[in-house]
Amino acid sequence: MARDKVCVVIGAGDATGGAIARRFSREGYTAVVTRRTIDKLKHLVAEIAQEGGKVHPFGSDARDEEQVAKLFREITTSRVYRKVWEMTAFAGFLTAREAAKVMVPRGQGTMLFTGATASLRGGRGFSAFAGGKHAVRALAQSMARELAPQNIHVAHVVIDGAIDTEWIKANFPERYNAGPDAILNPDDIAEVYWQLHRQKRSAWTFEMDLRPWKETW
Amino acid sequence: MARDKVCVVIGAGDATGGAIARRFSREGYTAVVTRRTIDKLKHLVAEIAQEGGKVHPFGSDARDEEQVAKLFREITTSRVYRKVWEMTAFAGFLTAREAAKVMVPRGQGTMLFTGATASLRGGRGFSAFAGGKHAVRALAQSMARELAPQNIHVAHVVIDGAIDTEWIKANFPERYNAGPDAILNPDDIAEVYWQLHRQKRSAWTFEMDLRPWKETW
Amino acid sequence: MARDKVCVVIGAGDATGGAIARRFSREGYTAVVTRRTIDKLKHLVAEIAQEGGKVHPFGSDARDEEQVAKLFREITTSRVYRKVWEMTAFAGFLTAREAAKVMVPRGQGTMLFTGATASLRGGRGFSAFAGGKHAVRALAQSMARELAPQNIHVAHVVIDGAIDTEWIKANFPERYNAGPDAILNPDDIAEVYWQLHRQKRSAWTFEMDLRPWKETW
Amino acid sequence: MARDKVCVVIGAGDATGGAIARRFSREGYTAVVTRRTIDKLKHLVAEIAQEGGKVHPFGSDARDEEQVAKLFREITTSRVYRKVWEMTAFAGFLTAREAAKVMVPRGQGTMLFTGATASLRGGRGFSAFAGGKHAVRALAQSMARELAPQNIHVAHVVIDGAIDTEWIKANFPERYNAGPDAILNPDDIAEVYWQLHRQKRSAWTFEMDLRPWKETW
């Protein structure tokens, strides 16, 4: 039944997470969206409701990405190193474990993890962030191997490039205005998440990358 | 215009290649399908025509996969090593170069390469096949970097598992009958190729894997 | 001067760590060896002293590998997930940071991280251990990029196979007795660590793997 | 017996190959060195003889690296694509197969393949060279898996950076003079090859990278 169809987005910000929630909502899914500050979800909730979708906002202690972005550039203290791990790997672990508890008895479900370039590469000054993202990827890989035979699809999407957000617009104007489609459009990412969710189990993807056409890699 | 929409499938056998041609054909694309022996394309051509699609069959010297499959298991002589490379990397190079010649002046196009587990791993007894497949992946990666800024999307799909074909049915019956969706369904693969082709250029995938839910990896 | 030559081994157990300390000690280095329980270092200290080497034992809260080994196989609770991360990534981070504080002002030094198969692969049931090991590898990679231009060599050794220890002997007798050199000899590993330390900076290794000749991979 | 100890270097140019031959020769090995033009081996032969070593020069059709370097930068025609593959993968295959024929009956031996950044990455304009190098790596990996249990050690060294040669000196003077040890010293590479050859079989390396301390990666 339709009420069984729920899409939970941890960290449903103004960009990727929000777009994913809207995309699934348009297909009849109830969107459960979380953000540290529930007030910041108002706009998204209104948008989904206006399109006729069902949405339930929750405040949760998963911290938003901007904070992480600020943190991992700083000279890394042990407090920061731990905090970044908690925001990335530990938050991912807790969420995934709870999701698995619901999905395994049902014998179905999809879990999609969002990775970054740092999931695969430990760059200069990125030891904390890359450590957390590497750990998330290991978690996703372990869970994919454990849960696939139970009909639960776990995938990891490596997003390699800047995403179209207010923050990028404000802080990297030259990049933001580098030409058409030069940065990742959240709706285009959301479409890929939707397709992953719809993949038939004879042919499931564990990992794929996404980057803008003009991105150098 | 519609007549511009052409999908060329090199090696359109009874499984993946044929399914991809049918999938694109159903979206209004004219399917150009090649196989070493043009006679073997009769069935596919009839199927597409019956569904109302347009299709043009060609005989070409790209050899079929079964031959490769037979070859790479044998004690590898230098003749075989060269032949496997010609069937995989060199055939891929020639095709991709010709495709690029058409796509670059048009300023658009999609090239999808089909990889295998051997694209990433040189297993025992697989030096020739893995060498060819590694080279194809290098080619795809180089071309993706060269052509993406010219609006041409190049991607590489790593197919990790047995595909539902007559050959698998006949030779690996226990695997073929291992339960629902235990081997890759060509139509499910074709759907993914279609989605890759439709990706928006703000978020292009270079590489993704596909395997059945019960596959061990 | 000779008294500047110090080799610090975090987790100097009876196998690899101990062998590394002995190897460096034979070249005139003072071995500083740590283990959670200082008493367990008695044997190693006596051995090095007997060979005429200098050694300083310390108790430290880096937990021994056996504990980790036991933990990561269990159904992973959040407490265990966190603990495994602390024993692997966080302990590695703290140690490396302190080492960097000493090495950077001196303008020289070598840091060698010991990885495992789980550094590169998230296997079934290994989400916690693989997460920690992936994070250590990201840390090592970031630090290698940061510190190499300051004349500090950071490397990561992926050990793929069972190491010759009492624990393997007791718990995996068939593996232990699988024939000559079928499991990793700590002295042979130690030799490689010594060679890494002696590499000339025109040709530094970041990563290398080690496995027994009969190991399947 | 000493006369059994032979080190064959395919492509013993003035830099890495020559240094490897000298290094093994100093340990009592007879150096068998090949180059397309036997005359160009004169200097190396004299050097080894002067140090009291035994050396046998041979002309062979393995083309020198400079030619490859020139080729892979050009607009790649099918003739060039094939030629680069012949110089890299096919030459590697033929040599390795012949070496295996000698080593397998003896039950011992070491084969060391020299890789490059292009072994792991298909960069822009490098489709031919990266294809060949990827194929060599696949070959080395397959052979390592096949031959290790027969006591033959196969390894692959990824050299990431410019090597100290006359050609680099003449064509990239700013890089050549970038400071002490900023480019790879052939003798330092040779030492690593010697160490790989001497590794005990309880702990064999398949792959390792080498780059100068100031190299960006």
Side-chain angles (χ1 to χ4, degrees), chain A residues 60-123:
Chain A
S60 87
D61 63 353
R63 291 87 194 265
D64 62 62
E65 285 293 309
E66 276 170 47
Q67 262 207 327
V68 178
K70 272 178 213 146
L71 280 172
F72 69 74
R73 272 297 195 182
E74 293 170 17
I75 294 153
T76 306
T77 64
S78 65
R79 202 183 55 82
V80 168
Y81 189 81
R82 179 185 290 275
K83 209 170 167 185
V84 169
W85 173 78
E86 283 175 353
M87 283 171 174
T88 52
F90 193 59
F93 167 74
L94 292 176
T95 309
R97 192 192 55 183
E98 294 310 307
K101 280 184 194 165
V102 174
M103 292 175 181
V104 170
R106 289 187 184 181
Q108 64 172 62
T110 306
M111 274 187 231
L112 304 175
F113 290 86
T114 301
T117 313
S119 304
L120 298 167
R121 182 178 192 277

Side-chain angles (χ1 to χ4, degrees), chain B residues 24 41 43 53 61 119 146 162 166 204:
Chain B
F24 279 70
L41 287 166
H43 184 64
D61 63 353
S119 304
E146 291 161 13
E166 286 302 318
W204 273 351

Side-chain angles (χ1 to χ4, degrees), chain A residues 76 78 81-82 85-86 90 93-94 97 121-127 130-131 134-135 138-139 141-142 145-146, chain C residues 76-78 81-82 85-86 90 93-94 97 121-127 130-131 134-135 138-139 141-142 145-146:
Chain A
T76 306
S78 65
Y81 189 81
R82 179 185 290 275
W85 173 78
E86 283 175 353
F90 193 59
F93 167 74
L94 292 176
R97 192 192 55 183
R121 182 178 192 277
R124 270 171 212 245
F126 280 78
S127 61
H134 273 62
L139 171 72
Q141 215 177 92
S142 290
R145 290 187 164 104
E146 291 160 15
Chain C
T76 306
T77 64
S78 65
Y81 189 80
R82 180 186 289 275
W85 172 78
E86 283 175 353
F90 193 59
F93 167 74
L94 292 176
R97 193 192 52 183
R121 183 178 191 276
R124 271 171 212 247
F126 280 78
S127 62
H134 273 61
L139 171 71
Q141 213 177 95
S142 290
R145 290 186 163 106
E146 291 160 14

